[in-house]
């Protein structure tokens, strides 16, 4: 494996109502050559308790590198929903991926 440079990531805030949910796009970033964003996706006053979703555009990433497994990729956009209960804590959400599988965890 290697770091995924030039991978598009979106960060969404999720607000749940009684019968629906509202998604608000907070920001979109592209990873650097080390597979990380140059700045935190969420920081300062934006860092509030709540439900969030990162969307990793892995299908496009692999297609751009000639590693697409089909015209319709097995994995396209990988959503990772997570909650922030303590805005003063550190949250790092890495994604390990191939064209056919992924895993994630709360990093340090």
């Amino acid at each position: 494996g290697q770091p995924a440079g030039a991978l598009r990531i979106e960060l969404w805030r999720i607000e749940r109502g009684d019968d629906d949910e509202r998604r608000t796009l907070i920001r979109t970033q592209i990873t650097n050559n080390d597979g990380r964003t140059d700045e935190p996706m969420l920081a300062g006053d934006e860092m509030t308790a709540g439900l969030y979703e990162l969307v990793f555009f892995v299908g496009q990433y692999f297609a751009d590198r000639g590693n697409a497994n089909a015209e319709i990729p097995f994995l396209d956009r990988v959503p990772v929903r997570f909650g922030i209960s303590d805005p003063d804590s550190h949250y790092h959400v890495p994604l390990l991926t191939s064209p056919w599988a992924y895993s994630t965890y709360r990093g340090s």
Side-chain angles (χ1 to χ4, degrees), residues 2-4 12 15-17 19 22 24 29 34-35 51 53-55 65 69-72 76-77 82 93 95 98 103:
Q2 61 186 8
W12 295 81
E15 296 178 43
R16 291 185 176 160
D19 296 326
R22 192 175 82 210
T24 303
Q29 289 192 16
D34 196 31
L51 184 62
E53 183 174 87
L54 288 166
V55 179
R65 279 143 192 82
N69 53 355
E71 282 188 39
I72 300 174
D76 184 24
R77 296 178 185 181
F82 63 98
V93 184
L95 183 80
S98 77
S103 66

Side-chain angles (χ1 to χ4, degrees), residues 6-73:
L7 173 67
R8 178 180 168 182
I9 306 170
E10 293 177 349
L11 175 64
W12 295 81
R13 185 181 323 272
I14 310 295
E15 296 178 43
R16 291 185 176 160
D18 291 336
D19 296 326
D20 65 347
E21 65 181 34
R22 192 175 82 210
R23 296 166 42 96
T24 303
L25 181 64
I26 296 174
R27 83 179 22 87
T28 300
Q29 289 192 16
I30 307 296
T31 58
N32 60 28
N33 289 336
D34 196 31
R36 298 174 178 264
T37 58
D38 288 329
E39 298 176 5
M41 297 284 290
L42 194 62
D45 292 340
E46 291 178 321
M47 188 78 154
T48 59
L51 184 62
Y52 295 86
E53 183 174 87
L54 288 166
V55 179
F56 297 85
F57 287 71
V58 300
Q60 187 63 54
Y61 170 81
F62 288 116
D64 289 348
R65 279 143 192 82
N67 294 326
N69 53 355
E71 282 188 39
I72 300 174

